[in-house]
Amino acid sequence: MPIRRLGPAAQGDLLKAALARPRAIILLDGYFEALPAVYHKEILWALSQGIPVYGAASIGALRACELGSFGMIGVGEIFDAFAQFRLEADDEVALIHAPEEVGFANLSEPLVNIRWTLDAAVAAQVVERQLADALVAAARRRFYPDRSFVSLLEDCAVLDPAAADRLELWLPEGRIDQKNRDALACMQRVESDWLNDTLPDAPAFEFRHTDAFETLLTGVLSHNPINDPEVLIRCKTASGDRFDALRLAAEIDALALALDQHSGQPVPGEDLVRAVSEFRQQHRLLDQQALQHWLSRNGVDIDALSRKLEESARIARARQQIEPHLNDRMRDLLVFARGASQPGDKG
C-alpha cells in the first residue's frame, strides 16, 4: 500500500491532503499551540467526499473520539482510553519536538507513554501500583514540555529511592512508546482495509458549508496555489458555486499582500487599529478575557495574531489600489465571496 508520510498536521493540512483525493487519510500527530490545530470541519469535508479518515495516537485519537459519530475511525489503545473516558485531558498526548530538519524528534515525553510504561513496570514487579499512581500524578503536575523519563526518575527518587534504582535499570528495555504502537496499529488497520477492499464508504450525513470552512478553503488556495485541473474541479465541488468567487478573492488578497510588502511601507497605526477592531467584532471579543480565551482555544499566541492582523491591514490597504481595475464580473465575484450577494446581483 503506497503511503505518503507528512509532518505534524496544522489547520488546513488535512483539507490540502483531501483535495489530492487519496484513498484514505491517517491523522496521528498535530500542532495545537504554535499553529492552529486541525479543524473538525476539514475532517468532515473529507468524510463527506468518501475519503475515509482514521485517527490514532495523538490528536488523531482525540478527533476520532469527537467525530466518531460522523464516520471517523479511531484505532489503538490511546483512542480506546479517551473513548471510554478513562483519559480526558488533551495534554495527555502533548509533547514538544525538534524541527523537521532533524525528523521532528521528541524533546519531551507524552504522559500517555509514561502511563503505559508505568503499567508495564507494575506488571514486571519493578514498582508497586500505589507508587506508579503517585508518579503519574507527579508527571501530570508538570507542564507538558517538562515531562520526561529523567524527571520521572527524579520524582521516584524522592518517593522511593530503591524503586528509582530498579526503575532506572529497567527503563532502557521496558519503556513503552504507546503513541508509536498505536500509529503502527493504525497503519496496519488501513492496510488491511485496503487489501480486503473494506475501506468504509462515505457516511450518511449532510456536510454544511459555513463561513469558517470557506475561510479555511480560501486560505488553502491562497497560500498553496493549485494548478492541477482535476484538483481544481474538486476544490470547486468543495465550495459549490462559491468556488470561483473564493479563489478570486484569495488570489487578489495574496497579490495585495505581496504588493504592499514589496512597497516597504510600514502599516499606519490607524489601519492596524481598524484591523484589530474588525477582528474583535467578528469574533465577539469584547474584552481582554474573551481575547485570551480565543487565543487559548485556537492554539494561537498574541505574536502570531498580531502578524496576521498586520497582514489583514496590508491587504485592506492594497485592495483599494487593485479593485478599481477589476471588471464588473470580478467585482460581482468579490462581493459574493465576502457574503453580500449572489454573482450578478448589484444590491
Side-chain angles (χ1 to χ4, degrees):
M1 178 184 68
I3 296 177
R4 183 184 177 193
R5 292 176 173 84
L6 302 171
Q11 189 174 96
D13 287 343
L14 195 136
L15 177 58
K16 283 184 283 185
L19 288 170
R21 206 66 183 184
R23 288 292 303 275
I25 294 174
I26 300 173
L27 177 61
L28 300 173
D29 282 303
Y31 291 98
F32 71 96
E33 188 172 65
L35 296 170
V38 172
Y39 179 39
H40 298 77
K41 202 75 173 182
E42 55 190 305
I43 299 174
L44 291 174
W45 183 79
L47 292 169
S48 74
Q49 299 301 300
I51 303 171
V53 182
Y54 295 75
S58 190
I59 195 169
L62 298 177
R63 290 291 183 264
C65 287
E66 295 158 348
L67 299 176
S69 60
F70 292 91
M72 186 173 178
I73 300 170
V75 178
E77 294 186 25
I78 295 171
F79 164 76
D80 288 341
F82 278 106
Q84 297 164 15
F85 299 101
R86 290 185 282 114
L87 296 180
E88 295 183 356
D90 291 358
D91 75 327
E92 291 273 352
V93 296
L95 57 82
I96 56 171
H97 58 73
E100 181 178 5
E101 291 75 12
V102 288
F104 302 107
N106 290 5
L107 300 179
S108 67
E109 200 68 36
L111 186 54
V112 286
N113 285 357
I114 292 173
R115 284 184 181 276
W116 263 261
T117 296
L118 286 171
D119 285 346
V122 171
Q125 298 183 336
V126 175
V127 298
E128 298 292 333
R129 178 78 266 169
Q130 184 176 1
L131 176 59
D133 291 342
L135 291 172
V136 168
R140 285 202 65 184
R141 288 192 293 270
R142 292 181 182 272
F143 188 34
Y144 76 89
D146 300 327
R147 294 169 182 161
S148 68
F149 284 112
V150 171
S151 64
L152 177 71
L153 289 172
E154 291 172 352
D155 292 335
C156 191
V158 172
L159 297 172
D160 188 332
D165 291 339
R166 295 195 302 273
L167 188 59
E168 185 175 11
L169 291 173
W170 176 85
L171 271 177
E173 297 295 328
R175 63 193 297 176
I176 292 176
D177 187 345
Q178 191 60 41
K179 287 181 68 170
N180 187 60
R181 285 185 175 186
D182 283 4
L184 293 174
C186 191
M187 293 173 66
Q188 291 167 0
R189 165 68 184 275
V190 176
E191 183 175 24
S192 173
D193 288 349
W194 172 292
L195 294 175
N196 295 314
D197 197 26
T198 54
L199 289 171
D201 296 326
F205 70 88
E206 178 186 358
F207 179 82
R208 297 189 178 183
H209 293 273
T210 61
D211 290 343
F213 175 73
E214 292 182 346
T215 298
L216 179 64
L217 179 61
T218 301
V220 168
L221 293 173
S222 175
H223 294 95
N224 300 274
I226 298 172
N227 298 313
D228 182 342
E230 293 185 5
V231 175
L232 286 174
I233 290 171
R234 290 195 288 273
C235 290
K236 189 163 186 173
T237 301
S239 199
D241 293 337
R242 291 179 67 91
F243 172 76
D244 288 334
L246 287 167
R247 189 159 193 256
L248 176 64
E251 289 175 349
I252 287 178
D253 285 355
L255 175 61
L257 179 60
L259 288 173
D260 197 82
Q261 289 175 331
H262 182 70
S263 72
Q265 298 177 1
V267 179
E270 60 268 22
D271 289 349
L272 284 175
V273 170
R274 187 180 303 111
V276 171
S277 176
E278 291 175 354
F279 172 80
R280 282 181 175 267
Q281 291 176 12
Q282 177 186 357
H283 296 280
R284 297 181 177 86
L285 306 177
L286 303 180
D287 55 39
Q288 192 65 22
Q289 183 178 359
L291 174 61
Q292 289 298 327
H293 180 68
W294 185 93
L295 292 170
S296 176
R297 187 175 69 248
N298 288 275
V300 179
D301 62 30
I302 192 67
D303 290 336
L305 177 59
S306 298
R307 290 192 297 270
K308 185 64 178 176
L309 292 176
E310 181 180 339
E311 284 188 4
S312 298
R314 288 185 178 278
I315 289 170
R317 180 170 64 180
R319 273 180 185 168
Q320 298 174 10
Q321 301 175 17
I322 295 173
E323 293 183 6
H325 300 284
L326 303 178
N327 60 36
D328 289 343
R329 170 63 176 167
M330 288 181 173
R331 290 196 186 96
D332 286 342
L333 287 172
L334 284 179
V335 170
F336 184 37
R338 291 163 190 166
S341 62
Q342 299 291 327
D345 291 346
K346 296 296 183 181

